[in-house]
Amino acid sequence: MTHAPDEPPARCVRVLLADDEAMMRAGVRAILDAAPDIEVVAEAGDGREALELARAHRPDVALLDIRMPVLDGLGAAAELRRSAPEIAVVMLTTFSEDEYITSALDSGASGFLLKSGDPYELMAAVRAVHGGGAFLSPRIAHRVIQQVSGGRMTRQAAAQERIAVLSPREREVLALVGAGLSNAEIGERLYLVEGTVKAYVSAVLSRLDVKNRVQAAVLAYEAGIVPEG
């Protein structure tokens, strides 16, 4: 069996890592370096440096600590959403900082990870957001649902009223976004090409007036349309 000598290697997911704690950066980098399809291309010690390195290296994914000096992760994420929306953002947080979740949602982040979580969640999050999906650490997902589901019956009715503007196909797409599937995975499930799924997702975000997939996923949970399993 022969291989074409000019066949390009599979492209790695390029990651920018920003955390003001050098030991934390070293630990996260060690985990990501173990993944053959992920490459850390730059490290920053604060949010402002992260933005400069993002402009210089154009990573696919930015891993941002929420609390950093000079400019925190929330501010850096919001600026990336404005200046480089193609860069997917994953926020790194501690369990005691869940009060920041709502602000992080508004900042445009597509993923949320606990620093104390399973290392495999880190790799999964990078791959998920790079593929157009969203990722929440299970414990953070539980907190998000708790935060947004106070007065559940009232909120469910309100959420169902909001999604009533969607077509049946858009509703299916929203449900699978809520399940954390990437555009490619949604396409496989619904027998659609990935470009068509991307167009549906954009339409859903626009019609529901939400800023990102995570907010759409929360709305899908509130409305009770996310499939189990």
Side-chain angles (χ1 to χ4, degrees):
M1 183 176 180
T2 60
H3 297 274
D6 58 346
E7 182 178 339
R11 183 177 180 276
C12 284
V13 182
R14 293 164 47 82
V15 175
L16 163 67
L17 170 60
D19 194 302
D20 60 320
E21 298 182 26
M23 289 185 65
M24 179 59 66
R25 291 202 310 273
V28 171
R29 179 163 198 148
I31 292 169
L32 294 180
D33 282 345
D37 58 333
I38 298 173
E39 176 188 9
V40 177
V41 297
E43 293 184 30
D46 61 66
R48 185 61 60 195
E49 184 183 11
L51 293 177
E52 294 172 358
L53 291 174
R55 285 191 288 269
H57 293 273
R58 289 294 169 179
D60 301 304
V61 177
L63 288 174
L64 306 177
D65 182 21
I66 282 186
R67 299 177 69 176
M68 291 187 290
V70 185
L71 179 67
D72 65 15
L74 299 176
E79 178 57 34
L80 284 176
R81 187 179 68 189
R82 288 190 292 269
S83 62
E86 72 279 5
I87 300 176
V89 173
V90 175
M91 306 301 300
L92 297 170
T93 180
T94 65
F95 196 48
S96 62
E97 294 170 344
D98 61 320
E99 70 270 18
Y100 292 104
I101 291 176
T102 300
S103 296
L105 285 169
D106 289 337
S107 75
S110 296
F112 301 88
L113 286 173
L114 285 174
K115 291 183 177 181
S116 59
D118 188 323
Y120 289 101
E121 290 180 8
L122 183 61
M123 299 180 192
V126 168
R127 293 171 179 140
V129 301
H130 179 245
F135 188 94
L136 296 176
S137 288
R139 285 196 293 170
I140 291 182
H142 180 66
R143 286 295 185 97
V144 169
I145 300 305
Q146 283 184 326
Q147 285 191 10
V148 302
S149 61
R152 178 160 182 79
M153 295 306 294
T154 300
R155 296 190 69 90
Q156 185 176 57
Q160 290 176 345
E161 183 176 350
R162 284 185 66 183
I163 70 171
V165 301
L166 302 179
S167 69
R169 179 62 88 185
E170 288 170 342
R171 183 186 171 101
E172 286 181 305
V173 170
L174 174 62
L176 295 177
V177 167
L181 273 62
S182 68
N183 288 347
E185 291 168 333
I186 293 173
E188 291 177 4
R189 188 77 63 90
L190 299 181
Y191 304 103
L192 299 171
V193 298
E194 189 171 350
T196 300
V197 174
K198 186 175 181 180
Y200 271 120
V201 171
S202 295
V204 167
L205 298 184
S206 177
R207 299 188 72 181
L208 295 178
D209 192 26
V210 294
K211 297 177 181 178
N212 54 50
R213 295 175 77 107
V214 176
Q215 290 185 341
V218 169
L219 186 58
Y221 270 105
E222 287 184 316
I225 65 169
V226 178
E228 297 183 3

